DNA sequence: TTTCTCTGCACAAACGTTTGCGCTATCTTT
DNA sequence: AAAGATAGCGCAAACGTTTGTGCAGAGAAA
């Protein structure tokens, strides 16, 4: 068994032509006669010829491979992005080398090293939560390997990035709650260190003031996004002078923790307290009590945009790409949950 | 910018030695003098030399890459498996080319083709639900590319596989329910076409008869695993002459559909009806009412075993590996849910 | 006929690395 | 001193493909 794959050489030998002729014939090069071209292609098909990608990669000095580093594949947000990136890469005859950092900075560094050795043509990255030093990314740029960041963008200059505008999404969320009658709206926000937290808060403020209500700082509480932190944040909000009738949470997990805790406190989630969240996880479909709306961040679209930018960069590699840095912002969108219980 | 990476040639030129000497020195080959070796390694570090993997792959005729084809990355089961496989591959200096079939047979075929062109050294596959023709896999074997299947195993001869024993897990599940006092236990099983359904049914039968109870066929109903099908199956069980006090479902999603439906029917899930499920999804942690126990199928372990087998096959590639086919069965295990509400 | 222009192909280098083989000193043995 | 062994390194081929250049023959223009 184990038939060695057919090579261009063998085809050339059989047809008594040179390897270059075969190569060009297979690529429909104009300088090859039509009859020769057909002869070659016919035999190639018969012998089941498949070009040896390894040889091509080596020869061309590029791998037609893009690297993709993200925190966790099991998070629905990222796996959606992966699918989108994969699809686009597939169309362009690229392959995707996927790796998970597990939100570990060291691992991320090693993966970058690995990607470099593998001579990936470019990289799409969503950085680990814990990453504080970003030198390893800059090294890659010096090697001429372009990087596009998405969703989690490092705070450094001169990078290509794709991210979601959290502010407008938050405005939509709060406005929606105001429209359906809520007047006292709480927010369980993320830690202040995250840029995304700041955007959410800004959006909250905007929506409140634009509707001629006055902003109450005690209704926005930070939390570390753990289950315990969320419980404490909820407790704080519930014991506030003005008790909120609706709460905007930082993300879906966050919302679920809060909902769980609220139910334990015997709060009627159909009447007394509503939640709005971010991300729109599929697991929402399996829950009994779910947020009444979610701010969708379009992970697939983010991934697609990131990939488009990367391919653009790869195409124009000759020109000094240092001149222009892409920075795409995607508008988030409020999705009102259809499964919303109307009892 | 865009410094071209250092090559072995340049190092050789600078030190006035041959490329072969540099190559061997970098690999600590015994036939190279200690001083030369150190000189080379020192300079290599200074020049930031990194071996060109493309060239090595090409030269060695192997890519040190394994392909991984699975239905859906977003399913927690598979993403766990991916992580385990990645880790092992990383240790062995292999990289993993991941691709999703999205449970589509055509896509799966294309991916196989792509993997072949990329000259992956081996493949780990969990086949798409819809795949009915398995020729594309057999082609690979003829190319000398070994395949290891896991979890979803195609019904063909002479393959390497890793899978979970559903029968013992089911026995454990039913036995547990018997132990905590249930006497009438229902089962929402999968379609009869799936081997896994058969195993579950067998396990159910075993557990019942071993405990000197008589098997009641009306307590085991098939379902197509959709939400609607699950609802119908539950309805059927609830209107059975002997109404079950506990139900074993085919998988977690299945269980969630059933739980949702049961709650809509105002059934007291703390008292009147208990569920046991399979898979132990992490989303369980976010649910209000969850199965009281789950049969764990150890996706990470399955992935790891599959990878181990593959690396074993790759190591012994010279010997005609046709002789022996690996078939690993992993025992599933009943996990009693700690979050189980004890009210 | 001569010169010029294509057309259609062959030649060979190049990409970076590994590895079998051969060669030359030096050292050991007799 | 002659012969053999060994250590340390260089030479060159090989992996499969692409691509710049060269070159022959055919046809067209003079």
């Amino acid at each position: 068994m184990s038939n060695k794959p057919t090579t261009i050489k063998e085809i050339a030998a059989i047809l008594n032509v040179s390897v270059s002729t075969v190569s060009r014939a297979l690529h429909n090069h104009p300088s090859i006669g039509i009859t020769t071209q057909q002869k070659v292609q016919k035999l190639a098909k018969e012998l089941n010829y498949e070009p040896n990608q390894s040889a091509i990669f080596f020869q061309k000095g590029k791998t037609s491979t893009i690297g993709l580093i993200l925190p966790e594949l099991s998070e629905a947000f990222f796996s959606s992005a992966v699918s989108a990136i994969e699809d686009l890469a597939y169309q362009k005859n690229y392959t995707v080398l996927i790796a998970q950092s597990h939100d570990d900075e060291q691992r991320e560094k090693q993966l970058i090293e690995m990607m470099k050795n593998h001579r990936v043509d470019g990289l799409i990255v969503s950085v680990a939560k814990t990453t504080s030093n970003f030198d390893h990314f800059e090294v890659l740029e010096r090697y001429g390997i372009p990087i596009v960041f998405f969703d989690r963008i490092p705070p450094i200059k001169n990078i290509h990035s794709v991210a979601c505008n959290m502010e407008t999404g938050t405005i939509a969320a709060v406005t929606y709650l105001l429209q359906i009658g809520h007047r006292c709206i709480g927010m369980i926000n993320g830690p202040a260190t995250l840029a995304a937290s700041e955007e959410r808060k800004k959006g909250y403020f905007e929506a409140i003031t634009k509707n001629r209500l006055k902003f109450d700082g005690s209704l926005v509480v930070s939390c570390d996004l753990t289950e315990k932190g969320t419980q404490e944040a909820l407790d704080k909000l519930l014991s506030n002078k003005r008790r909120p009738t609706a709460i905007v949470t930082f993300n879906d997990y966050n919302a679920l923790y809060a909902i769980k805790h609220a139910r334990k406190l015997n709060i009627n989630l159909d009447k007394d307290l509503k939640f709005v969240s971010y991300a729109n996880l599929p697991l929402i479909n399996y829950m009994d009590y779910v947020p009444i709306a979610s701010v969708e961040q379009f992970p697939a679209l983010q991934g697609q945009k990131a990939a488009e930018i990367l391919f653009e960069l790869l195409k124009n590699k000759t020109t000094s790409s240092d001149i222009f840095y892409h920075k795409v912002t995607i508008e988030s969108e409020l999705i009102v949950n259809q499964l919303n219980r109307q009892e």
Side-chain angles (χ1 to χ4, degrees), chain A:
Chain A
M1 300 297 121
S2 190
N3 281 333
K4 285 279 153 268
T6 313
T7 72
I8 240 177
K9 246 184 202 168
E10 295 166 15
I11 298 180
I14 296 177
L15 294 179
N16 263 319
V17 295
S18 72
V19 283
S20 53
T21 300
V22 176
S23 174
R24 284 190 246 256
L26 291 172
H27 291 84
N28 298 319
H29 194 280
S31 83
I32 301 297
I34 183 70
T35 55
T36 319
Q37 209 170 107
Q38 289 173 344
K39 261 197 315 189
V40 169
Q41 295 188 357
K42 181 156 169 275
L43 184 61
K45 191 162 284 178
E46 282 176 15
L47 295 182
N48 251 310
Y49 169 75
E50 299 285 356
N52 182 331
Q53 297 288 359
S54 285
I56 296 175
F57 293 164
F58 168 59
Q59 208 284 138
K60 295 206 164 177
K62 51 169 272 182
T63 52
S64 289
T65 300
I66 60 175
L68 176 54
I69 299 180
L70 31 75
E72 207 68 48
L73 271 175
S74 55
E75 281 191 31
F77 180 89
F78 291 117
S79 56
S80 303
V82 168
S83 292
I85 293 170
E86 252 192 346
D87 284 347
L88 196 63
Y90 196 77
Q91 282 174 33
K92 304 240 173 193
N93 247 306
Y94 272 75
T95 50
V96 185
L97 209 54
I98 303 173
Q100 310 179 63
S101 66
H102 297 299
D103 273 322
D104 178 73
E105 179 166 10
Q106 277 315 306
R107 172 101 180 181
E108 191 176 81
K109 266 187 173 166
Q110 292 173 338
L111 292 177
I112 291 280
E113 196 63 25
M114 187 262 276
M115 295 283 182
K116 194 177 68 189
N117 290 358
H118 266 261
R119 301 285 196 272
V120 295
D121 295 338
L123 216 50
I124 297 178
V125 177
S126 194
V127 301
K129 267 184 207 160
T130 58
T131 303
S132 54
N133 181 298
F134 303 96
D135 294 347
H136 46 299
F137 294 121
E138 287 170 354
V139 168
L140 278 199
E141 295 279 4
R142 249 182 284 129
Y143 272 84
I145 302 178
I147 311 181
V148 179
F149 294 94
F150 82 101
D151 191 53
R152 303 218 201 139
I153 318 289
I156 48 179
K157 295 276 171 197
N158 297 340
I159 55 171
H160 309 279
S161 66
V162 177
C164 222
N165 185 341
M166 289 292 102
E167 192 178 333
T168 52
T170 306
I171 292 179
V174 174
T175 304
Y176 170 71
L177 287 173
L178 290 170
Q179 276 171 1
I180 62 174
H182 295 274
R183 279 298 165 266
C184 184
I185 300 170
M187 172 175 248
I188 297 181
N189 205 1
T193 52
L194 258 60
S197 301
E198 198 50 44
E199 287 185 20
R200 281 169 171 79
K201 191 170 178 180
K202 225 164 146 187
Y204 177 89
F205 180 82
E206 280 291 320
I208 292 289
T209 54
K210 240 182 201 151
N211 281 276
R212 301 166 183 283
L213 297 174
K214 86 162 203 278
F215 171 74
D216 178 355
S218 68
L219 285 174
V220 178
V221 301
S222 294
C223 108
D224 61 359
L225 304 179
T226 64
E227 177 154 13
K228 199 167 165 228
T230 307
Q231 291 173 2
E232 292 168 0
L234 181 59
D235 288 337
K236 199 167 164 189
L237 280 176
L238 292 177
S239 60
N240 194 47
K241 272 186 308 213
R242 301 174 55 217
R243 179 170 169 156
T245 58
I247 292 178
V248 179
T249 62
F250 187 82
N251 64 31
D252 276 349
Y253 294 103
N254 215 232
L256 297 181
Y257 294 141
I259 289 174
K260 194 170 168 188
H261 190 51
R263 298 203 61 216
K264 206 163 251 165
L265 297 176
N266 277 321
I267 294 175
N268 186 334
L269 290 179
D270 291 324
K271 281 187 173 179
D272 300 338
L273 189 59
K274 296 288 188 183
F275 285 93
V276 169
S277 170
Y278 291 79
N280 223 10
L281 284 186
L283 77 89
I284 291 282
N285 293 321
Y286 305 110
M287 308 291 301
D288 298 311
Y289 287 91
V290 299
I292 58 172
S294 269
V295 177
E296 172 66 51
Q297 299 179 56
F298 304 105
L301 188 58
Q302 284 198 43
Q304 190 193 322
K305 282 285 172 201
E308 280 172 5
I309 292 175
L310 186 57
F311 287 126
E312 172 89 20
L313 291 172
L314 291 178
K315 215 168 56 184
N316 306 331
K317 207 166 181 180
T318 42
T319 72
S320 63
S321 58
D322 314 56
I323 291 172
F324 178 62
Y325 287 92
H326 296 262
K327 183 182 162 90
V328 171
T329 304
I330 293 175
E331 291 304 318
S332 53
E333 196 175 290
L334 188 74
I335 309 278
V336 176
N337 198 331
Q338 289 138 350
L339 296 176
N340 194 3
R341 294 157 65 104
Q342 306 283 11
E343 303 168 43

